[in-house]
Amino acid sequence: MRSPRRCSRNACPRQAVATLTYVYNESTAVVGPLAAFAEPHTYDLCEPHARSLTAPRGWNVVRHEGEFEPPPPSADDLVALAEAVREAARPVPPRPPQDEPHPQHPQHPQTGRRGHLRVIPPNH
């Protein structure tokens, strides 16, 4: 399943709810609702970082006035979740016990099994 976008600030594990964009020719930083797609030269921010952002001296900050809310799950997210639930619900085929001897055929050389490795004796 696709994971939600995270805050761009170093070491911040929170989910992004806002997007920061710089308008360089107007010396303005714009903090608005989370953009639909991650774009180059924009930064996703969590709510605390979106609310506390400051701009360099001489720059203006234009900030979204409403609540910052995480985006609703997309259809891709819901499909991925349904597939993960289906995969987890599939029964696992039973494995033969490791101590139980394997059936042997007289015309084939004896083989042994240890974990995921198989020992095959040299041909005579």
Side-chain angles (χ1 to χ4, degrees), residues 95-110:
R95 291 178 42 185
Q98 297 224 353
D99 294 345
E100 189 175 293
H102 296 287
Q104 296 178 10
H105 302 285
Q107 69 269 26
H108 295 293
Q110 182 179 1

Side-chain angles (χ1 to χ4, degrees), residues 17-113:
V17 295
T19 297
L20 167 64
T21 307
Y22 291 106
V23 182
Y24 291 97
N25 62 350
E26 296 180 18
S27 300
T28 303
V30 179
V31 180
L34 187 64
F37 300 100
E39 297 284 337
H41 310 294
T42 64
Y43 303 90
D44 294 336
L45 300 174
C46 64
E47 186 167 5
H49 285 127
R51 298 243 182 254
S52 66
L53 178 90
T54 60
R57 186 175 294 137
W59 281 58
N60 296 314
V61 176
V62 175
R63 200 179 319 268
H64 173 69
E65 291 296 322
E67 293 295 315
F68 290 114
E69 295 183 19
S74 71
D76 290 343
D77 294 336
L78 296 175
V79 169
L81 178 61
E83 288 173 2
V85 168
R86 273 190 226 109
E87 183 68 28
R90 284 191 185 125
V92 177
R95 291 178 42 185
Q98 297 224 353
D99 294 345
E100 189 175 293
H102 296 287
Q104 296 178 10
H105 302 285
Q107 69 269 26
H108 295 293
Q110 182 179 1
T111 61
R113 204 163 205 14

Side-chain angles (χ1 to χ4, degrees), residues 6 14 77 82:
R6 298 282 174 208
R14 295 184 198 100
D77 294 336

